[in-house]
Amino acid sequence: MTTLLLCGTGSTGQAIAKLLQAANRPLVITSRAGKGPEPYRTVAFEWENPATFANPWEVDANIDRVYIVSPTIYDMMPHAKPFIDLAIAKGVTRFVLLSESELAPGDLYTGKIHQYLLDVGVDHFVLRPTWFTQNFGRYFYHSIREQNEIFSATGNGRIPWVSVEDLAQLAFEALTAEQCANTDKLVFGPELYTYDEIAELFTEVLGRKITHKKLSVAEFEQTFVTFGVSPEHSRLLASMEEAVSNGIEEGLYNSPAEKKYIGKHKLSDYIRENKALWITE
Ligand SMILES: NC(=O)c1ccc[n+]([C@@H]2O[C@H](COP(=O)([O-])OP(=O)(O)OC[C@H]3O[C@@H](n4cnc5c(N)ncnc54)[C@H](OP(=O)(O)O)[C@@H]3O)[C@@H](O)[C@H]2O)c1
């Protein structure tokens, strides 16, 4: 029994790999270059190149569980469908899909993959996390260090920030559980914050003024286009920001207990514990 972590060099893949390795569970990870960190077996896999789809089984014929991550490819289904079909033909009996809190089955992007897993009827578990706390060490790393600002089009909307560690714990449980739950879970952290409140937290922890630059939805979309994200995907991200400003994340956070998983790690602790990241002198 081996687990395949697609995009296993990414933030969630690496956190899940660590848990599987610690539990002595065989695993294979993928990256486009076919190179990844030790001690993992890494194979070349490129979503837009179906010739790479069977590579993982050449390294380990016992792969029977797959963790699916979609990079910023807006229309994933032309790639995900043939891969899932092949994986089932190769003996995969369980898929754990990383989707998003705001995407229900049948919606855009990973919502379509979610729907396909339901249609095929294969065992599956779908993670629907909110925004990651670690985004502040990645996407906002430079803007905090160099411009003393974070930016969003979320207005005064609150987000129940979740840590990648909490998400990975749930993914690990879904991948290794005896019985597959065949459901999806909203995945949140324990505290809700607006970007204004987060700017205040940074100001307090770093001892210098950090501001929240409030962008319009159109400005946010354009910012992501300049980062190299496709116009369609930038539009999707901007529409999610707008939905936050309309209270969607807070509403989802208040869903009944059986629909959600609330992790332990707090955004405020993440900022305090990692403050060296944003200190410049
Ligand atoms: N950040 C958030 O707040 C948030 C919230 C909810 C959901 N999500 C979802 O999380 C997912 C990203 O997960 P993550 O953070 O674990 O990943 P990540 O850290 O962004 O890394 C992306 C991974 O995808 C691989 N990759 C990129 N393009 C690829 C391609 N064309 N074919 C195959 N592999 C490719 C990269 O590997 P190589 O470079 O090694 O090839 C890398 O391992 C997205 O679907 C996003 O929607 C994110």
Side-chain angles (χ1 to χ4, degrees):
M1 210 165 76
T2 300
T3 300
L4 172 64
L5 301 175
L6 296 180
C7 306
T9 55
S11 70
T12 63
Q14 280 295 291
I16 301 166
K18 211 166 136 185
L19 296 174
L20 289 168
Q21 185 75 13
N24 286 320
R25 301 265 184 169
L27 71 143
V28 173
I29 70 170
T30 76
S31 80
R32 284 166 296 180
K35 290 187 196 124
E38 294 290 334
Y40 309 117
R41 292 180 290 170
T42 308
V43 296
F45 178 95
E46 158 66 74
W47 273 119
E48 289 169 295
N49 180 5
T52 65
F53 286 3
N55 287 352
W57 286 271
E58 282 167 23
V59 171
D60 191 329
N62 296 319
I63 292 168
D64 63 352
R65 294 183 182 191
V66 178
Y67 174 65
I68 302 180
V69 173
S70 310
T72 52
I73 299 173
Y74 179 71
D75 191 6
M76 270 299 291
M77 270 314 280
H79 316 294
K81 180 181 180 305
F83 173 76
I84 290 168
D85 294 347
L86 173 83
I88 292 171
K90 293 275 189 191
V92 171
T93 54
R94 186 181 304 182
F95 293 89
V96 174
L97 169 69
L98 175 57
S99 187
E100 310 214 358
S101 53
E102 293 181 27
L103 298 179
D107 282 351
L108 298 163
Y109 188 46
T110 46
K112 288 195 197 297
I113 308 177
H114 187 168
Q115 185 61 53
Y116 189 63
L117 294 174
L118 289 166
D119 293 345
V120 170
V122 66
D123 275 358
H124 67 276
F125 186 89
V126 180
L127 303 146
R128 293 178 53 196
T130 188
W131 271 253
F132 300 165
T133 57
Q134 281 80 358
N135 289 355
F136 293 96
R138 290 182 77 182
Y139 307 120
F140 294 112
Y141 173 75
H142 288 291
S143 73
I144 296 170
R145 283 174 63 93
E146 287 151 29
Q147 279 110 38
N148 292 320
E149 68 183 22
I150 51 178
F151 57 88
S152 86
T154 59
N156 296 319
R158 298 167 84 212
I159 293 176
W161 301 87
V162 68
S163 86
V164 165
E165 284 81 10
D166 285 329
L167 176 81
Q169 182 60 38
L170 184 59
F172 170 79
E173 287 166 17
L175 286 162
T176 58
E178 199 77 15
Q179 292 285 319
C180 185
N182 286 316
T183 189
D184 62 280
K185 283 266 188 222
L186 295 159
V187 191
F188 301 125
E191 295 177 333
L192 292 109
Y193 286 110
T194 65
Y195 274 85
D196 276 355
E197 289 164 343
I198 295 168
E200 280 171 28
L201 267 172
F202 271 107
T203 299
E204 178 201 314
V205 171
L206 300 181
R208 66 181 200 267
K209 180 77 182 158
I210 305 293
T211 50
H212 171 210
K213 186 175 177 186
K214 289 186 171 163
L215 301 179
S216 69
V217 175
E219 285 167 338
F220 184 90
E221 185 179 324
Q222 194 48 43
T223 302
F224 273 76
V225 171
T226 59
F227 289 165
V229 177
S230 73
E232 298 84 2
H233 205 84
S234 299
R235 200 165 308 128
L236 171 67
L237 294 172
S239 70
M240 290 174 157
E241 296 268 307
E242 186 172 28
V244 172
S245 72
N246 293 327
I248 191 167
E249 287 292 330
E250 193 158 359
L252 289 168
Y253 186 76
N254 291 324
S255 301
E258 68 275 12
K259 289 187 182 297
K260 63 191 179 191
Y261 173 89
I262 309 227
K264 300 187 196 98
H265 292 90
K266 297 176 176 173
L267 174 65
S268 49
D269 290 338
Y270 168 78
I271 295 172
R272 284 189 194 101
E273 285 159 13
N274 293 282
K275 72 181 209 180
L277 279 178
W278 306 285
I279 290 174
T280 43
E281 70 277 359

